[in-house]
Amino acid sequence: MSDSSPSTDQQDFPLIIFTVGTAASGKSSWAEAMRARHPSLRICILERDMIRVELFEAEADKPFSWTDWNQAWENKVQWLWEQRVQELAKQCHALILADTHLDTGELRKKATWLRELGAREFTLQYFPALPLTDLLRRDQGRSHPVGGEALREHLKKIGAEEQYWAAIEGV
């Protein structure tokens, strides 16, 4: 292939970077900092929460709110996420999937699906659990805070970094 632009060809599929961490742990900020730090690379960032916000605001015709979020829309979020991954894979050198990825089974499924599309290079950025008080403070400063209950659930779910590496390497 003479064109140097990324494509979904198996050899040219972008590096996939999974973030793993609770809400308010710094995943999105880290992703944006990586893009800013490496302006010569085409680093794309995809966040399921941004898809949720777009979908909610289009469907509900009002500003996004977690308390008003309709769980029935999660299937559409998944479909939109898959479409965007495929679109961005054609444009990027690296694709940061900036979500919590706390469930190793779901992470494994995503890595398997991406491999089926042709992805071969995976890495992850792990964000260790922070004290709940720090997460609450950070969460309050976000445009769409998830709240203390969700943060406590995330802290219960987060595992050791090695578990997440095994999930993406073991497919």
Side-chain angles (χ1 to χ4, degrees):
M1 186 175 205
S2 59
D3 182 28
S4 63
S5 63
S7 73
T8 54
D9 177 286
Q10 287 190 352
Q11 297 161 334
D12 294 331
F13 208 91
L15 169 67
I16 303 296
I17 304 170
F18 291 103
T19 60
V20 175
T22 66
S25 62
K27 299 175 306 293
S28 298
S29 297
W30 174 84
E32 290 295 341
M34 289 299 293
R35 184 164 43 196
R37 191 176 306 137
H38 303 285
S40 62
L41 294 177
R42 283 189 298 273
I43 296 176
C44 299
I45 302 167
L46 183 58
E47 298 176 66
R48 294 175 78 85
D49 284 351
M50 291 302 101
I51 295 171
R52 288 181 181 102
V53 169
E54 292 168 13
L55 179 61
F56 180 87
E57 291 179 351
E59 298 286 333
D61 196 30
K62 63 181 181 178
F64 179 84
S65 156
W66 281 110
T67 55
D68 294 333
W69 174 247
N70 184 345
Q71 281 298 119
W73 292 342
E74 283 299 322
N75 287 338
K76 186 158 188 182
V77 170
Q78 179 62 27
W79 182 83
L80 290 167
W81 181 86
E82 289 174 7
Q83 297 304 306
R84 292 195 186 160
V85 164
Q86 292 178 69
E87 292 166 13
L88 292 172
K90 298 173 187 173
Q91 305 168 22
C92 306
H93 291 117
L95 175 55
I96 300 174
L97 301 175
D99 295 310
T100 59
H101 297 116
L102 298 176
D103 182 323
T104 55
E106 287 300 313
L107 181 58
R108 185 176 292 107
K109 285 181 190 176
K110 286 180 183 174
T112 299
W113 179 75
L114 287 159
R115 275 196 171 78
E116 290 169 359
L117 290 179
R120 296 291 174 261
E121 296 194 34
F122 298 86
T123 191
L124 66 84
Q125 180 65 38
Y126 181 80
F127 294 81
L130 296 172
L132 180 59
T133 53
D134 291 350
L135 292 174
L136 288 167
R137 181 180 43 76
R138 288 177 171 201
D139 189 49
Q140 290 172 357
R142 299 179 341 146
S143 56
H144 304 104
V146 298
E149 185 177 335
L151 292 169
R152 280 188 289 281
E153 286 303 311
H154 286 188
L155 286 170
K156 288 178 190 175
K157 289 180 184 176
I158 193 165
E161 183 174 357
E162 298 77 30
Q163 296 172 313
Y164 300 103
W165 279 105
I168 65 170
E169 293 172 343
V171 288

